[in-house]
Amino acid sequence: VVGGGMVAHRFVEAMRDRDSDGRHEITVLAEEPRPPYDRVALTSYFTGRDPQELNLGADELWADPLVTLKKNTAVASIDRTAMTVTTRCGATYGYDHLVLATGSYAAVPPVEGSDLRGCFVYRTLDDVADLRGYVEQLRRDRPGRTVRGAVIGGGLLGLEAAAGLLDLGAEATILDVAEFLLCTQMDREGGLAVNSLMREQGLDVQCSSYIQGVELDEQENVIGVNVADGPGPEAVVRRLEADMVILGVGIRPRSGLARRSGFHLDPRGGVVVDEACRTSVAHVWAIGEVAHILGQTWGLVGPANKM
């Protein structure tokens, strides 16, 4: 199994439950330096929750002699003929069946300044730890002043990030180009209700807002974002003060490994699979957010687990 996220954990758990005869040995190659953990509960890490509490899988699962979890192990290539994978460190693993569970990565919009210190994505425990540490640093450097964060994106990731800022005692503004939050999950009436609900929770919600760039001071510290009220050149641009920016505009399938290895991909990046999650390559399956199934790439853990 290439990937050590929530779907990889669910796959290993299901395989061991069904394999009563012990016919399958499973090796999980996880890129992160920790076992699979609950990304849905990332926000709780803002408030000081021990990251080990987010770990998925009972101790018995990872101690099972038929299960091997390799952490800090990123796969660099797949040899389809030899049926092996090779890691970035040069280790080679053979397989009879290969499961791609590489998940997704945080999308970064083409906003000037988004790659500088003070701008964050929201995807992994390390992302959250970096974000929390930055808020604490701002508090030390500017005692008595409230930290202000601008969250770009009004989807699930954006809402989680904004809620995390509130948990840290910071102010949070959500900026989204749509008329209402959760525009891909809700109709207009439901989305406008979510707007109201988020404002009641203490969030500043500014929809129909188009980010033009991140504003920095002479030391390249974030001091604001420039926001337009429309997409065209006639739009009015205003400045929103902010000490940090979180990019929560969505996710993209992590299909680079499959692309380099000659798999059939959807134009939007997911690994195309059939209803049984078989890829275009024999003996290889893809599950979770990297898989493009039934004409769609799912970015939610519920549908991914059903694969």
Side-chain angles (χ1 to χ4, degrees):
V1 180
V2 179
M6 297 175 68
V7 175
H9 155 255
R10 182 70 189 95
F11 172 80
V12 173
E13 195 173 59
M15 281 290 294
R16 292 303 302 124
D17 286 345
R18 298 174 186 179
D19 185 20
S20 56
D21 296 331
R23 295 184 297 115
H24 295 91
E25 294 182 359
I26 305 171
T27 299
V28 179
L29 305 177
E31 187 169 347
E32 292 191 63
R34 52 181 61 87
Y37 58 88
D38 185 0
R39 294 189 195 277
V40 177
L42 272 180
T43 304
S44 65
Y45 185 40
F46 276 114
T47 53
R49 186 177 179 186
D50 187 336
Q52 292 189 353
E53 295 178 15
L54 302 181
N55 289 350
L56 296 172
D59 292 341
E60 308 88 75
L61 178 66
W62 304 119
D64 190 318
L66 294 176
V67 176
T68 300
L69 173 62
K70 296 284 187 178
K71 296 174 283 189
N72 277 319
T73 305
V75 174
S77 63
I78 301 171
D79 187 325
R80 298 162 49 174
T81 302
M83 295 178 66
T84 61
V85 299
T86 301
T87 71
R88 291 177 187 168
C89 295
T92 299
Y93 296 84
Y95 65 84
D96 296 304
H97 307 282
L98 180 65
V99 177
L100 301 179
T102 50
S104 60
Y105 63 90
V108 178
V111 174
E112 184 178 355
S114 62
D115 58 340
L116 298 175
R117 180 64 176 163
C119 295
F120 301 85
V121 294
Y122 184 87
R123 189 64 185 152
T124 69
L125 269 172
D126 289 338
D127 294 334
V128 176
D130 196 23
L131 179 57
R132 189 172 72 176
Y134 193 72
V135 171
E136 292 170 352
Q137 176 187 323
L138 288 175
R139 284 213 181 95
R140 290 192 298 269
D141 295 343
R142 309 169 187 177
R145 176 178 164 183
T146 301
V147 176
R148 299 159 300 186
V151 178
I152 315 301
L156 290 171
L157 278 179
L159 296 189
E160 289 177 13
L165 285 177
L166 290 185
D167 287 340
L168 290 174
E171 294 179 353
T173 297
I174 301 177
L175 301 165
D176 195 81
V177 298
E179 182 187 3
F180 50 84
L181 302 175
L182 300 180
C183 63
T184 60
Q185 290 90 8
M186 312 286 287
D187 59 16
R188 184 175 185 276
E189 183 178 355
L192 292 176
V194 173
N195 286 9
S196 298
L197 179 61
M198 293 299 100
R199 290 180 177 121
E200 291 174 5
Q201 301 302 312
L203 293 171
D204 178 22
V205 177
Q206 298 187 23
C207 291
S208 301
S209 297
Y210 294 75
I211 308 307
Q212 303 298 298
V214 178
E215 188 173 342
L216 309 173
D217 63 15
E218 294 180 354
Q219 289 75 43
E220 293 197 337
N221 298 309
V222 173
I223 57 174
V225 293
N226 296 318
V227 185
D229 62 1
E234 304 300 323
V236 176
V237 179
R238 69 185 188 279
R239 177 177 178 274
L240 174 70
E241 292 187 1
D243 303 303
M244 57 196 307
V245 176
I246 303 176
L247 305 170
V249 296
I251 57 175
R252 299 290 184 270
R254 292 191 69 200
S255 50
L257 174 64
R259 179 179 291 105
R260 295 192 300 272
S261 304
F263 286 67
H264 179 206
L265 302 185
D266 180 77
R268 289 164 291 184
V271 180
V272 175
V273 299
D274 63 15
E275 293 186 17
C277 294
R278 287 184 290 252
T279 71
S280 59
V281 176
H283 308 293
V284 184
W285 283 255
I287 58 175
E289 294 171 336
V290 74
H292 186 83
I293 186 170
L294 299 176
Q296 187 169 349
T297 303
W298 297 90
L300 299 171
V301 70
N305 279 338
K306 291 182 180 179
M307 296 181 190

